[in-house]
Every structure is written in structure tokens, then in C-alpha cells.
Amino acid sequence: MRFSELAGYYEKLENVSSRLAMIDIMAEMLSDAENDEIRDIVYMTQGVLGAPFEGLEMGIAEKLAEAAIAIATGFEKERIYAEFKRIGDLGSTAEEFAGKTKLRRMGKEKPEVKGVFETMRKIAATSGEGSQELKIRLFAQLIASSDPLEARYIVRFAMGTLRLGLGDATILEALSKMHSGDRKLKSRLEEAYNICSDLGKVAFVLKSEGMNGIENFSVSLFSPVRPALAERLPTAEQILEKMGGRCAVESKYDGMRAQVHMDKKKKRVEIFSRNLERVTEMFPEIVDAALSEIRAESAIFEGEAIAYDEISNEFHAFQETIQRKRKHGIKEKSESLPLRLFVFDLLYMNGEDYLGRRYEERADALDLIVKEGKENTIKTADRIIAKTPGDLERYFEKAIADGLEGIVAKELDSKYIAGARKFSWIKLKRSYKSELSDTVDLAIVGYFLGRGSRAEFGFGGLLGAVYNEKRDMFETITKIGTGFTEEQMKLFSSMLGKIRTKGKPARVDSLVEPDFWVDPEYVVTVKADEITRSPMHTCGRERNEKGEEIGYALRFPRIVSEGIREDKSAEDATTTKEIMSMFKMQKKTRIGEE
Ligand code: ATP
């Protein structure tokens, strides 16, 4: 496909707001793609250079891009900069100058998608001495061989501001439509996606092998599996009943989820976070232990990494564990505050996919490969089999007394359900027994300016949203105006200032108008007193018996001390469906108390 055709599709996508129209356009675009280019087209549409967990970045800062546009069009850098400041979008700036370029367009042939993508990857791979100059040169060549519309999208892609408004769920529906003419294959495609976390790969397999290839998808080393998630229930009785009278119960450690991929022969270990970022460098002691303490040639296992003091027998707070996110002092920290990994699942071992095996079988295999020993870094999560609510309740109380967050009950017969929140795992936390049943994680979609003493920070509060999986949209649920420290206000103001958008982002549904909109990117954990029904917010909005449109809102929301949840991306925010079931749970608990 010519890049100009792709740019034409992007322009069409930008001009529609209905999701169904977007799916139609994208399906047509994907149908037009050849087998060997569909992967790149999907990545490009997602705004990435490869599977997101590969973390490839072009490394082009604004200044560098301005210089490249200047070289490519023959105008002075200062003019480019002034125009960019005026219109606020470097892509449109590039388009404008490419339209009145003083130079002749480079190359006779119109560029193909593949060529453009290859150059972008080359730019990303350029590093070391003299790399800035080389990056500018390659980028300038790319712009010089583009027409104005192509330049718009090449520059936006490089700046990370493509913002076509297509989430993973929408892309999956478009793939379904491409293959079968309707959206019905979405859930089967999603299963494959949950196993490899790579939409480009799913698209390629579908296009080249059809649904046969999709049905035969299996786990592979170094491609992270999207994590299984837990549902909530408020009492031991309800959990046991849901599990069929018998289940495993494990301690719930409040650290950082880590998915470890290990290949002994290649001496290679990679660790992925809950939102599938590669975080290997953060955990040197776990990398070593994966090679020396696991009795298998290769494996993928999941656990919770947490700072643990062997001497006092105490778990450290989540904040201390997460400090590892900072790039500096990891080695010192790994010595002064070593982490333990409490492993709770096995996804793959010695060439075999374990996802389809029963929980008990996976747990037994884990016991065999994880060496016992007080000094070891990797341990299995503590667990029991509960046959009565009393067993579960006692184990829960003990976990709380040991300083843990609660328990996770697991269905003995269930397979590992990647990427979904199902009742085969049910969590019970101490907080369920008081006020709102749990904290919620909200995607920030906008923010407000401060008044009075807060004016100086340029920040007065957040507009928080939950994720509606069905609609692939972010729906607002609350404004958060209290509980911020000065430091947090400064941080939010600078962090959010960088991702402001001109209007409401395409995937945000809101009746509230904040001072500034931002792309859903950051997630914060929020505590509230209760969930109420409200006409102000779009979360779960529906018509009630009186004919009024009414949604859900949080009462007295305040941000919890950790602030940003770095291990979650916007789609990992609490979902509308969860809010609705928490609302029901909240009602039941209250009735129970009366
Ligand atoms: P939370 O804020 O409750 O951790 P979450 O959205 O991060 O929520 P959930 O699926 O709701 O994730 O809860 C499961 C999380 O608990 C896992 O992601 C994992 O990080 C953690 N965890 C700790 N111990 C266990 C365990 N034994 N089994 C499964 N998950 C565990």
C-alpha cells in the first residue's frame, strides 16, 4: 500500500466520531493491506513501532522534528517554530510547510508504507555518537519525499500525537470485520491477543492463515501474556458458594505484579509488569534467581514482587517496592531492600503451554520447580484448600494479621484466563468490610485550574473516568478536588500540561467540561465513601424509569497516597461493569448490616 493511501484513511478516521464508522473505515484499510504490511499498518495505527512491550521509540524530540521540517522544506527553523506555537500541532505545521515547500519533492515514486516504516525503525535504532544528526537527516528525507498529508501523519506519529481514537477493542472489531464482514469474531481474536499482547501479530496471522491460525495460537517465550484478573465478592460464604464449595485460597501480596520469562539455555530472562511493560532492569535479583532457583529449562511464571524483611518477618509497603521504578540506585536498593517474588501461577514450561491446564495442575508443577529455602528470592505464594467458609475466613484473618492485603480465592478446575476479570479468581480485601468496597483506579481525562492558593500550581483537580470495555470509551465518574499534596499538584500540573489536547479526546465521553482535556494515559487510585447515581457523569449512563439519563458517580473522592499507578495503563482502569457490580455489592452489604 502506498503511504498516501494510508494517510487518506487516517484523514477519514479523523473526520468521523462514531465508533461504527471508524470500524468500517479501518476494516476497509486492513482489507487493502498486503500480508506483509498489515502488521506495520496495525502498529502505526496504534502509534507504535512494534509490539508495545518491545518499547521501541523513535527518540525524536520537538526541536529535532522542527529542524528536520526546516531542512525538508527549505524554510527557517524559527518560522517553523513560530507556526507550531501558533497552531499547537507539529503535524499540521509540517503539512502546511510541505504544501509550500521551496524544494523539489525527493524521489520519483510515491513511498510505500513498508519503506516509511523501515525508515522510522532505522531512526529509532540510531543511537550513540552523532546519532542526533543522523536522525534529523533521515527524518528530513522522509518528510521531503512526502506530500503534505503524508507529512502530517509522519510527524504526528513521530511525536506520539497521532490520536486516531482507536483503542485495542476497536482494532479487534475492525479485524473481525475485515475477515468476515461483521464484528462477531472479536472475542475469538481477543483470546489470541490476550495470549501474545501483540495486535500486529494477530492481524498478520489472521490475514495469512485465517481463523485456523488464530485458533492454534499458543504462548511463546518473551511475548507477555495479558494477565488474568480477579473479581470481587464481599464474604467468605459468597466466595465459596460461587466456587462450588471448594477452592484454593492464596495470600494476596501487595507489591508489583511481575511476569517472568526465562530461557536457561539462552541465559535470557525478561520481566513484564502488569501493563506489559518490560521492566527487567528493575529487578536484577529476580533475573538471577530465575536462572538459578527454578528447576526448569524454560518457563513463564507470574508472581508478586515485594520488599520483604526476613529478620522482622515484615512486608514493606507497596510504595517502597515501586520505588524501583526509578532508574537510579537499583543496585543499592537490591542490596538494602531485597525483593522476594511470591509466585502464584505457571503459564508455560519446557516448551509446553500451561494456560489450558487446571489450576491444581499448574500449582503442583510450580511446587516442583520452585526450590524451597529461606534464603531464596523466589518462593511460591502461600495457599490452602478451603472446604468451608470458616476455613476461608480464618485464612483471611491470618493474612491480614501478617500485614497482607487480603486473599485471592481460585477455582481448582479453572484454566488460566488471560486478559480477563473472571470469577475463577475472586479477591477479598480488608477494605471490603467498610465504606466503599474497594479503591478504584481512574484514568485522568482532564484537569481543572486551581483557585485561590492553588492558582500558583496551575492545578486544582482532576476529572476521572472509568473504562467501558464494550464501547471502548472512557466515561467520567468524578471530579477529584481534595487530598493532593503540594508536590502532587506540581507534578500533575507539569505531567498533564505535556499531554493536553485541543478538544475532548475521541474516546472520552463526558458531560463535564474541564479547563483542559488530556489523553487518557495516566491512572490514579482513588478512595471514596460510596458510589451514587448521578446525572452529571457518563459512567454506566442509562435511562431510568422516570425517563432521566443517569450515571454513576463517586461520593467524597480523594486520591490515595501513591498517586499515579505506574503499573496500569488507561485501559486497566476500573471498568464501568465493575463499578456497577461494586454498586450492587455496596447495597447488599448495607442491607446485611441493618
Ligand atoms: P488491586 O488493586 O486489587 O491489586 P488490580 O486491578 O491490580 O487490583 P486485581 O485483579 O484486581 O488487580 O487483583 C489481583 C492482583 O493482586 C494481581 O494483579 C496481583 O498483582 C496481586 N496478587 C497478589 N497476590 C496474588 C495471588 N496470590 N494471586 C493472584 N494475584 C495476586
Side-chain angles (χ1 to χ4, degrees), residues 262 513 548 559:
M262 180 277 286
E513 182 89 16
E548 303 152 342
I559 196 152

Side-chain angles (χ1 to χ4, degrees), residues 520-541:
E521 199 172 297
Y522 295 111
V523 173
V524 284
T525 300
V526 171
K527 228 176 173 345
D529 281 5
E530 62 176 327
I531 301 171
T532 55
R533 301 305 307 262
S534 153
M536 283 261 292
H537 290 285
T538 51
C539 165
R541 201 152 188 264

